Amino acid sequence: MAQALKIGIAGLGTVGASTIRILTAAHNELAERAGRPIEIVAISARSKGKDRGVELGAYRWYDDPVALAADPDVELVVELMGGAEGSAKALIEAALSLGKPVVTANKALLAAHGPALATLAEQKGTTIAFEAAAAGGIPVIKALREALVGNKISRVSGILNGTCNYILSRMEAEGLDFAQCLKAAQDLGYAEADPTFDIEGYDTAHKLALLSALAFGTEVDGDAVYVEGISNVTPLDLEMAEELGFRIKLLGVAERTAQGVEQRVHPTFVSRSSQLASVMGVTNAVAIEAEPVGTITLVGPGAGGGATASAVVGDIVDLARGNQVATFGRPSQALEKPVRAPMQRHEGGYYIRLQVMDRPGAAAIIATRMAERGISLESILQKGRGARRSESGAVPVILITYATTELLIRNAVAAIAEDGVLDGPPQVIRIER
Ligand code: HSE
C-alpha cells in the first residue's frame, strides 16, 4: 500500500471531533478505499484541556494553527475553526502557500475570499475542497463541480440552513414561539456560534454564493446576495400560509435571468405540494435545474457533527486518492465576473400582510394603490373583527398577488403606508410557484 497521507486538523468542535471519530473508527476501511492510510499527526484548537469525547493523546498539539500548517509532517490541512477572517484565513493561506491542500467547512470565509484563495491554491499547484461548506452531509458541491459538468445549469435553489428549517418547522407544527425554537436548535448543536448568521440568512447566503459560483462558472460573489432572515416571520404568517396552501421556508435561490445572475435569500411561500415544502426539521434540500439532465433534488441532513464530518472525510479521501479538482471546478482565470441582477427587477408573486385600520374605504385605498401599478391580485383575505382586531382597531389583511416586480411591490406598499391606513409594519414574503 502507498505511503500514509499525514493530516493536521485545526478546530475541534462538534465537526472536528466527529471527523477524528470517523477517521479512527474506519481507519482500515478508509485506507483500502483511498489506496493509502490516512494518519492524523497534528491538531490545534483553542482549549487543550477540554473533554471532546475523543482520544487526542497521540497527536502533536499546536496552540497556533499557522504553526500546524507549517509542520513539515503535515501534508493536508483540515480547517474546521470557522470565521471569515483571523486565524482560519491565516491558517488556510499558510497551508496553500506551502502547496498543501486544504479541506474546509468554512462557507463564510470562502464567500468572502474564495476567488483570492482559489488563485493562491492554483499558483501553488494545490486546491481547496469544501464539500462540508454547503448543505452539510449532502454531496452537492461534488454534484455541481464534477457529476453535472455535462450540463448547463439555469437555477439552484434550496433549503440550506438546518437551524432555520428546524425553527420554522417547529413553530408551524407545535405553535411554539421563535425564541423557544432557536434555543432548541442551539441545544442540538445545529446553530452557528452566533445565531444571527443562521436566523438572519447570512449562513444561507454564504452557501448560496458557493453553489452559484459552481453552477454558473462565475467568481464567488458573496456581496451580491440579497438577504432577509426569518426573525420577522410570525405565527400568523405560518397560519396564513397553511390556510392558503403554502409553507414558509427560508430559501436560497440563484438563477440566470435576462438581467444577470440573481442571488437571493428570504423567507418564501412554497406550495405545500412541492418537494421543498415536505422538507422538515434540520434537513436541507437543493434543487438543481439543468439541461439536458432536468431537475435533480438532493435531500439530506444539513447540519450537525456527523453529517458535516461525513463531507469532510469524503474530501480527505478524495485528496488521498489524488483526485484534485480546481477549487471552483475550473481554472480561476476561466471564472467569469458575474453580472449582478438587481433585486428590484425580481419577478414573482407576493404575499403581503397588512395590519389595516378597520374603517370604511381602507380596503379601497389598498386596492387602488395596487391597481395604479398594474399589480393584479389573486386573493384578498381579511381576518374579521373578533380576536384578531387589535386594541387600536386594526385587522390583518392578506393579499396574494400574481407575478409582478419587486420594485412595484415596494412602491405600492410604501404608498399604502403613506395613506395612513396601516397600524404596524407591512409583512412582504415572496412566493415561488
Ligand atoms: N448552522 C448551520 C445550519 C450548519 O443550521 O444549517 C452549518 O452550516
Side-chain angles (χ1 to χ4, degrees):
M1 190 173 281
Q3 276 202 330
L5 172 71
K6 294 179 183 161
I7 71 170
I9 301 178
L12 299 176
T14 328
V15 180
S18 294
T19 300
I20 293 178
R21 228 170 268 129
I22 299 174
L23 290 175
T24 46
H27 183 268
N28 294 343
E29 194 191 337
L30 291 174
E32 251 170 41
R33 299 180 76 172
R36 59 196 293 206
I38 294 160
E39 305 286 359
I40 304 167
V41 294
I43 52 174
S44 173
R46 263 202 293 262
S47 133
K48 190 170 181 182
K50 187 173 165 188
D51 180 12
R52 297 169 168 95
V54 281
E55 182 47 50
L56 303 174
Y59 316 132
R60 215 168 299 144
W61 177 272
Y62 286 97
D63 286 325
D64 174 10
V66 173
L68 172 141
D71 181 328
D73 266 355
V74 171
E75 299 167 282
L76 177 153
V77 169
V78 181
E79 184 278 308
L80 300 172
M81 299 158 57
E85 309 293 335
S87 303
K89 183 162 175 270
L91 165 69
I92 292 180
E93 285 170 346
L96 297 177
S97 299
L98 292 165
K100 299 180 185 186
V102 170
V103 171
T104 181
N106 196 332
K107 54 262 165 187
L109 181 138
L110 289 175
H113 304 292
L117 292 173
T119 304
L120 174 61
E122 213 169 286
Q123 283 163 356
K124 299 292 176 180
T126 190
T127 195
I128 308 167
F130 58 96
E131 186 62 71
I138 302 176
V140 63
I141 303 293
K142 206 174 178 64
L144 288 170
R145 196 180 54 195
E146 294 162 53
L148 296 174
V149 285
N151 291 268
K152 186 155 176 68
I153 297 171
S154 53
R155 189 175 201 267
V156 179
S157 59
I159 296 167
L160 300 172
N161 185 271
T163 302
C164 287
N165 207 48
Y166 177 86
I167 291 172
L168 291 171
S169 300
R170 282 202 68 178
M171 282 176 76
E172 182 194 316
E174 296 172 48
L176 295 174
D177 70 28
F178 180 81
Q180 277 174 300
C181 298
L182 171 61
K183 172 84 175 53
Q186 285 174 310
D187 290 346
L188 288 165
Y190 300 147
E192 297 294 305
D194 176 357
T196 313
F197 268 66
D198 293 300
I199 61 178
E200 296 307 342
Y202 303 119
D203 177 73
T204 301
H206 296 149
K207 294 167 180 170
L208 184 74
L210 300 180
L211 300 185
S212 179
L214 292 169
F216 306 134
T218 48
E219 282 185 358
V220 183
D221 193 10
D223 291 343
V225 185
Y226 173 83
V227 190
E228 271 176 35
I230 62 165
S231 57
N232 291 329
V233 175
T234 66
L236 179 57
D237 295 322
L238 289 160
E239 203 184 311
M240 290 300 99
E242 182 168 2
E243 193 170 323
L244 293 160
F246 296 93
R247 257 201 179 116
I248 302 179
K249 296 290 180 191
L250 183 75
L251 284 198
V253 182
E255 61 188 321
R256 282 184 193 278
T257 71
Q259 283 81 41
V261 175
E262 186 173 287
Q263 299 183 78
R264 52 193 165 88
V265 172
H266 47 72
T268 311
F269 268 46
V270 295
S271 164
R272 273 182 107 75
S273 60
S274 68
Q275 255 182 316
L276 290 182
S278 66
V279 175
M280 304 300 277
V282 72
T283 306
N284 280 195
V286 190
I288 302 166
E289 293 173 29
E291 173 61 31
V293 71
T295 299
I296 293 174
T297 306
L298 303 167
V299 181
T308 312
S310 155
V312 170
V313 172
D315 276 346
I316 296 171
V317 170
D318 243 1
L319 289 161
R321 285 173 171 150
N323 182 10
Q324 182 173 309
V325 184
T327 306
F328 290 103
R330 49 187 104 190
S332 293
Q333 293 298 324
L335 294 168
E336 286 172 35
K337 290 249 178 259
V339 176
R340 297 175 173 185
M343 190 59 194
Q344 301 220 328
R345 303 281 291 273
H346 167 71
E347 288 182 22
Y350 287 78
Y351 157 93
I352 302 167
R353 175 174 54 76
L354 303 170
Q355 194 65 8
V356 180
M357 295 312 295
D358 190 8
R359 59 176 183 239
I365 289 175
I366 293 166
T368 304
R369 296 298 173 229
M370 293 286 163
E372 281 168 358
R373 288 156 184 87
I375 299 169
S376 184
L377 298 175
E378 182 178 323
S379 53
I380 307 181
L381 199 61
Q382 177 169 324
K383 296 313 275 183
R385 293 190 170 164
R388 301 238 185 245
R389 190 176 154 121
S390 69
E391 276 178 20
S392 55
V395 291
V397 171
I398 314 297
L399 310 174
I400 299 288
T401 77
Y402 287 112
T404 177
T405 67
E406 180 89 11
L407 181 64
L408 290 173
I409 288 290
R410 288 188 195 179
N411 281 344
V413 170
I416 293 166
E418 275 176 23
D419 286 327
V421 290
L422 301 185
D423 179 38
Q427 172 72 295
V428 176
I429 301 181
R430 296 161 194 86
I431 301 173
E432 296 283 322
R433 305 251 175 211

